[in-house]
Amino acid sequence: MNIKEIFNLFLLISAIHGFLFSIVILFSKNGREKSMQFINLLVLVVSLNNIQSWILIKDFFIKYFFLDYLHIPWHFLIAPFFYMFLIHYLEIEKRSKNILKIILPIFLFIISIRISFVFFFSDSNTVDIAHLFEKYTFLEEIFSLLISLTVFAYSFQILSKKEKLFTKILSFDNLKWIYTFFKLGLFTYLFWIIALAISVALNFKEFIYSYYPLRVLTTVLIYWIGYQAIMQLGLLKERKNLRKQLNFSSIDINETLVEEPKDSYKKVIFDNTEALIVEKKLFIEPRLTADSLANTVDVNAVKLTSIIKLFSDKNFSDYINEFRIEFAKELLVDEAYKNYTITSIGLESGFNSKSSFYATFKKHTGLTPTEYQKSLLK
C-alpha cells in the first residue's frame, strides 16, 4: 500500500468516523447545547470535506463534468463554526457578533460561482478546463484562508483579551485546552500556506499531495477539539450542579472585603487571613495567588507569605493546597456527593487540573483520591 492509498483510506475512515460522531452527539443528552451543536457542525464539515476529497481522488465522477467540478469549499466554514462554539461555550453569545450572518451568504455566493463556472464551461472544448479550474480554486482558497485567519485571530482576541466577559466560566474552567487548540491551529494554517505555495510552484498540476499533511492535521485537530468539548461540557455541567448543591458561588478575590487588622502583630494578620480563607472559601479559586490574597487583606505580598511560612511552616502553595485537600476529603466521603466524579470534586476544591489534584492529594495523604474514597466509602 503506497502513501496515496494510505491517505485515501485515512480520508474515508475519518469521514465515516465524523458522521458517526455527529449522529451520536445529535442524540446525546448534551446534543441540544448550542456550543455542542456548533462543535457537531465543525466535525460534520470536516467529514464532508474529507469524503468529498476521497471521492474526487478516486475519480468516481470523472465522466460527469458537473459533479467532477462542483467542489463545495467546506473548509470555509471551519473557523466560523469554531468561533460560534467558543462564544456559546463562554456564554457570551449575547454580547458577541454572530458572524455566521456574514459568512453563510458569502459561502452560498461562492457555491453559486462554482455552479456558474460548471455551466459556462460544460460544453467548451477549447479551454484547458482543469488547469483553469485549479487556478480559480487557488484564488478561492486564498480568500478562504484570509477569512479563516481573520476569524481565528478575532476568536483568540476574545479568549485572551476579554476575560471580564466570561469570569463565570473561568471559575469552572481554566480554558487551557482551548488555548492548546489555538497553538496547534497555527501549525494548521502554516501547512495550508505551504500547500498553496507548492500549488503555485507546480503550476497547479499534481499539487494534491501537498495537501496530505494539511488534511491529516486538520482532521485530527478538529476531532480532538470535538472530544475535548464533549468531556469539558459534561464536566462543566457537573461542576455547576455540584457548586449549586454546595450552596456557594464563585468568589472574586479582588472584591472580597475583610476588616483590616487593628494592630500590626503578625499573628493577628495570620489569624485574620486564615479566617477569611475559611469563611469565604477563597481556596476554591484556582487562580488564587499570594498577590491577590495580599490585596484582599491589604498586606504586602512578601510580608504575607513570610507570615504564612512562620505560623504554618508551609510555603503559600502548600498552605492553600492543604485547605483544598481537606475540603476534597470531606466531599469524597460525603454520601450527598457520591454521584459526582472525583475529577469534578477536585476541580471544585480549587485545583486547576485532574493531574495536579491527584498528585497533590497523594502528596498530602499518601493515597490517590480514588483509594481514599474507596477506603472510607464501603
Side-chain angles (χ1 to χ4, degrees):
M1 184 177 288
N2 57 37
I3 294 178
K4 183 177 181 180
E5 291 173 336
I6 293 174
F7 178 70
N8 291 342
L9 183 61
F10 170 82
L11 286 178
L12 179 61
I13 293 176
S14 63
I16 294 173
H17 171 267
F19 294 140
L20 292 175
F21 176 97
S22 296
I23 292 172
V24 171
I25 296 304
L26 184 63
F27 294 101
S28 68
K29 63 179 181 179
N30 291 326
R32 294 184 179 180
E33 295 282 345
K34 277 288 187 178
S35 58
M36 207 65 248
Q37 289 176 8
F38 284 110
I39 278 291
N40 215 9
L41 288 171
L42 188 60
V43 171
L44 183 60
V45 295
V46 170
S47 301
L48 289 169
N49 192 61
N50 285 354
I51 198 67
Q52 176 177 258
S53 298
W54 179 77
I55 291 172
L56 294 172
I57 292 172
K58 285 292 186 177
D59 291 329
F60 287 154
F61 297 142
I62 195 169
K63 296 181 180 180
Y64 304 95
F65 185 87
F66 184 85
L67 295 176
D68 194 37
Y69 282 88
L70 189 60
H71 308 171
I72 307 299
W74 297 110
H75 51 79
F76 192 81
L77 298 175
I78 292 176
F81 280 152
F82 172 75
Y83 164 82
M84 295 302 294
F85 153 74
L86 182 66
I87 62 173
H88 280 87
Y89 183 78
L90 299 179
E91 298 179 2
I92 58 172
E93 66 276 6
K94 294 181 179 179
R95 290 172 286 178
S96 304
K97 299 177 182 177
N98 185 349
I99 62 173
L100 284 183
K101 292 182 178 180
I102 301 173
I103 297 296
L104 286 179
I106 296 175
F107 177 68
L108 294 175
F109 178 70
I110 290 175
I111 294 176
S112 68
I113 292 178
R114 283 180 171 262
I115 294 173
S116 300
F117 178 93
V118 171
F119 275 113
F120 184 80
F121 289 105
S122 59
D123 298 324
S124 177
N125 297 316
T126 60
V127 181
D128 185 355
I129 304 301
H131 193 251
L132 181 62
F133 181 76
E134 298 303 349
K135 285 186 175 181
Y136 164 74
T137 300
F138 172 78
L139 294 176
E140 184 184 83
E141 276 203 60
I142 290 291
F143 178 64
S144 178
L145 174 62
L146 293 175
I147 293 293
S148 185
L149 276 172
T150 302
V151 174
F152 186 80
Y154 182 57
S155 300
F156 184 74
Q157 182 187 27
I158 290 175
L159 185 68
S160 59
K161 303 296 184 182
K162 299 185 178 182
E163 289 188 352
K164 291 182 179 180
L165 296 178
F166 48 89
T167 53
K168 182 179 178 181
I169 290 297
L170 285 173
S171 70
F172 295 101
D173 187 349
N174 58 23
L175 306 177
K176 285 184 178 180
W177 61 286
I178 297 183
Y179 278 103
T180 299
F181 175 82
F182 276 102
K183 292 176 183 178
L184 296 176
L186 287 176
F187 285 99
T188 303
Y189 285 109
L190 178 62
F191 276 101
W192 195 354
I193 293 171
I194 292 173
L196 288 171
I198 293 175
S199 300
V200 175
L202 296 178
N203 196 26
F204 310 104
K205 296 178 180 179
E206 298 298 328
F207 66 91
I208 190 68
Y209 296 101
S210 64
Y211 284 82
Y212 285 6
L214 171 64
R215 286 182 178 150
V216 171
L217 180 59
T218 301
T219 301
V220 172
L221 183 59
I222 295 304
Y223 288 168
W224 176 82
I225 194 70
Y227 282 110
Q228 281 289 323
I230 293 173
M231 182 179 70
Q232 293 295 335
L233 185 60
L235 194 58
L236 179 64
K237 294 181 71 174
E238 186 175 33
R239 289 188 65 188
K240 285 182 177 180
N241 291 334
L242 177 56
R243 186 168 297 186
K244 185 177 181 180
Q245 189 170 346
L246 289 168
N247 198 29
F248 60 79
S249 58
S250 58
I251 304 294
D252 186 340
I253 58 178
N254 293 318
E255 294 180 359
T256 306
L257 301 176
V258 63
E259 183 179 351
E260 186 175 344
K262 295 180 180 180
D263 56 55
S264 60
Y265 291 109
K266 294 180 179 180
K267 186 65 169 66
V268 174
I269 295 176
F270 178 78
D271 289 343
N272 273 272
T273 301
E274 187 163 281
L276 177 67
I277 292 171
V278 174
E279 179 185 354
K280 299 295 184 180
K281 289 187 169 59
L282 297 182
F283 55 84
I284 71 165
E285 173 55 63
R287 296 180 296 163
L288 179 67
T289 64
D291 286 333
S292 59
L293 182 59
N295 287 335
T296 302
V297 296
D298 197 20
V299 176
N300 178 273
V302 175
K303 182 178 181 180
L304 179 62
T305 53
S306 66
I307 290 174
I308 289 174
K309 179 67 174 178
L310 177 64
F311 291 100
S312 69
D313 197 30
K314 299 179 181 68
N315 61 35
F316 181 80
S317 179
D318 287 340
Y319 176 69
I320 296 300
N321 280 341
E322 189 171 76
F323 289 105
R324 292 168 175 164
I325 292 299
E326 291 304 314
F327 186 64
K329 285 164 66 176
E330 293 178 14
L331 299 185
L332 286 170
V333 298
D334 192 327
E335 289 287 343
Y337 306 107
K338 66 179 180 180
N339 293 325
Y340 295 99
T341 62
I342 290 177
T343 300
S344 293
I345 289 175
L347 296 176
E348 270 310 294
S349 298
F351 293 96
N352 58 18
S353 70
K354 176 182 177 181
S355 58
S356 65
F357 172 50
Y358 271 70
T360 306
F361 197 95
K362 182 74 177 287
K363 175 183 175 182
H364 281 255
T365 67
L367 299 171
T368 66
T370 305
E371 292 169 342
Y372 179 83
Q373 188 180 55
K374 287 181 178 179
S375 68
L376 296 178
L377 279 181
K378 297 181 179 179

